[in-house]
Amino acid sequence: MGDAVTPVLPAAPKPNYESAAFLKQHIVDVLNFYRPVAFDEAGGFFHYYQDNGAVYNRTHRHLVSATRFVFNWVQAWQHTQDSTYLTWAKHALDELEKMCIAKGDVVGFTPHSEYEFIIEGERLYRVQSNSISIL
C-alpha cells in the first residue's frame, strides 16, 4: 500500500449555526467571495463560480439566482451600510426587469412537472419534482 495522502487544506471547523459570531463571520466570508467577481458590467451578476471564485460561465442566467442576488445585496447593505450593496441591489433588480419579471408578477410551477437544467444550450439533465417553488 502507498503512503497516506496529506490533505492540502486543513479540515474546516464544524460550523456553529447557533453562534452569532460564526454567522457574522460567515456573512463576511460570503460577501468577500462574491465582491471581486460577481458584478457583470453588461447587466446583472454572474451565476456560476468555481470554489476559488473564478467565473466559469459568463453568459447564462437563471431566475432563482437572479432574485437571490436582489435579496442578498439588500441584506448586505442593511447589515453593513456599505452603499455598494445598495447599488448592486438596484443593478440586480434592473436585470430582473430585463428578464421581463415585473412587480406583481406571480412566478410558480406545476407540481410533479419536469425541470430541465440547461447550460449554454445543452440539456444536461431533467428532473421531475414537486419541491421546486420558483422557476
Side-chain angles (χ1 to χ4, degrees), residues 23-99:
L23 292 174
K24 287 177 183 177
Q25 184 58 52
H26 182 65
I27 291 167
V28 168
D29 292 344
V30 169
L31 293 176
N32 287 339
F33 175 85
Y34 284 106
R35 190 157 183 151
V37 295
F39 193 90
D40 182 359
E41 293 284 343
F45 294 85
F46 300 114
H47 291 205
Y48 299 94
Y49 305 90
Q50 295 176 351
D51 289 346
N52 66 1
V55 176
Y56 69 86
N57 185 324
R58 303 181 80 77
T59 57
H60 190 261
R61 302 291 197 263
H62 53 89
L63 183 58
V64 173
S65 285
T67 56
R68 186 178 299 125
F69 278 125
V70 175
F71 176 81
N72 287 351
W73 303 140
V74 167
Q75 290 297 306
W77 170 71
Q78 287 178 337
H79 290 284
T80 68
Q81 296 302 299
D82 181 338
S83 63
T84 298
Y85 296 121
L86 184 58
T87 300
W88 283 20
K90 291 175 184 176
H91 186 72
L93 193 55
D94 289 345
E95 183 67 12
L96 282 176
E97 289 174 353
K98 287 180 193 172
M99 296 169 84

